[in-house]
Amino acid sequence: MAYVPGVALLAALAVGCSAGDDGNANGADSKAGSPTVSPAPPGKYLTLPAPCRAVPRSTLKDLLPGAAELPGDQQDKVFRGSAAVTYDTDRKVGCSWKSDAPSATRSLSIDFERVVSYDPAVSDDDRADTVYAKKEKAAGLSSSATPGPPDEMDKEGEESSGKAKDPADADATGSTGPSPSESSDESNGESTDGAPGNSSSPEEALPSRILDDLGDAAFLQNLPKKADSTAQHHTVSVVFRTSNVVVTVRYAEQPALITQVPDGRELQEKAQALARKLAETLSE
């Protein structure tokens, strides 16, 4: 039997290990020819606006009645707003305002959320659409849902959001005209209760609904006072998505007296008008 020196044996083992390593490396390199997936495009927005400067003072004066009559320093404090606490201003920012007038308290808040997808196969816009869709469903709405009976979550959302469940009420999204009986009463210049004037009470407003021509997708959530509450508090939320940013506008009124009722239609109109201004500002 031939004698192999220890040094020679170690050298042979080292060569064998090197060959094995090269084989693994070649195996990994053989996958380089597999097709690659192009990363999804990034969202349009890389930053967010300064939220407390996003609403012009002229608009704030309209949305916060009574604030313009305050002394200079108090007025400036109201219109300055309060920035929301956030730890990443590149991803989420917000601001809120509040004015106390003798007749009512009005409050306004806006929130901007910039959505970023960390999955190269999913675009920022698609991820933002998922975030928006969750908010839409939580409000008891769904623009992409197929016709059919609503599930339990949708029912709960309808009850909390003030969305009309009655088929007659659902028609309000397309028509706000009075019923035939109301029309006959109004033609005599009287409301249904015999009082002169319009039969619509101030709190009557269109129900929660999907909005058209606002960003890439939008909805309005109407939140009138709870049935078991004596406080006449009314809140309207408008949520919309434009590219990879989701914006929420909340506008509310609390009358000073429980006998006073907020004008739901006015709240909705002003909240939508502000949302459209914010959408235009983002698009600039």
Side-chain angles (χ1 to χ4, degrees):
M1 180 180 294
Y3 174 76
V4 180
V7 174
L9 178 60
L10 291 175
L13 290 174
V15 171
C17 291
S18 298
D21 292 341
D22 290 341
N24 291 337
N26 291 337
D29 291 342
S30 64
K31 298 179 181 179
S34 58
T36 58
V37 179
S38 299
K44 177 180 179 180
Y45 303 102
L46 302 178
T47 60
L48 291 172
C52 292
R53 295 199 298 269
V55 184
R57 177 168 287 214
S58 59
T59 302
L60 289 174
K61 287 182 179 180
D62 179 53
L63 295 173
L64 304 172
E69 284 71 41
L70 294 172
D73 54 343
Q74 296 181 32
Q75 184 180 139
D76 290 339
K77 182 178 180 181
V78 170
F79 291 142
R80 191 183 307 125
S82 301
V85 177
T86 178
Y87 301 99
D88 189 350
T89 55
D90 284 335
R91 295 291 301 277
K92 192 169 185 178
V93 295
C95 191
S96 60
W97 299 262
K98 183 179 180 181
S99 68
D100 295 313
S103 60
T105 296
R106 294 265 182 122
S107 59
L108 169 70
S109 69
I110 58 174
D111 293 290
F112 297 89
E113 180 177 358
R114 186 175 70 90
V115 182
V116 177
S117 172
Y118 294 101
D119 185 346
V122 180
S123 69
D124 292 348
D125 283 21
D126 288 342
R127 183 68 69 192
D129 192 48
T130 299
V131 172
Y132 165 83
K134 289 180 179 179
K135 295 177 180 292
E136 187 181 271
K137 187 172 184 179
L141 302 164
S142 182
S143 58
S144 59
T146 55
D151 56 26
E152 291 302 318
M153 181 178 292
D154 289 336
K155 291 179 181 178
E156 293 175 0
E158 288 173 354
E159 293 174 357
S160 63
S161 66
K163 181 186 176 186
K165 298 189 291 295
D166 186 271
D169 292 336
D171 291 339
T173 58
S175 173
T176 58
S179 66
S181 60
E182 291 173 338
S183 299
S184 61
D185 290 335
E186 289 178 356
S187 64
N188 295 326
E190 296 183 353
S191 62
T192 54
D193 59 3
N198 196 322
S199 63
S200 297
S201 58
E203 76 274 14
E204 288 182 350
L206 294 175
S208 301
R209 61 197 182 277
I210 303 299
L211 299 176
D212 296 326
D213 303 324
L214 176 56
D216 296 315
F219 71 87
L220 180 148
Q221 186 178 18
N222 187 57
L223 297 167
K225 73 160 189 171
K226 296 181 179 178
D228 58 349
S229 174
T230 57
Q232 299 284 356
H233 188 274
H234 197 127
T235 302
V236 172
S237 292
V238 176
V239 180
F240 70 90
R241 178 184 74 84
T242 175
S243 186
N244 61 317
V245 170
V246 179
V247 182
T248 301
V249 175
R250 295 184 186 88
Y251 188 41
E253 179 180 350
Q254 173 71 62
L257 302 176
I258 61 174
T259 55
Q260 295 176 323
V261 180
D263 188 337
R265 286 182 178 271
E266 179 195 5
L267 295 174
Q268 289 194 17
E269 290 171 0
K270 291 188 174 183
Q272 289 184 77
L274 175 58
R276 295 185 189 282
K277 285 182 180 180
L278 294 177
E280 292 172 1
T281 301
L282 286 171
S283 300
E284 293 177 354

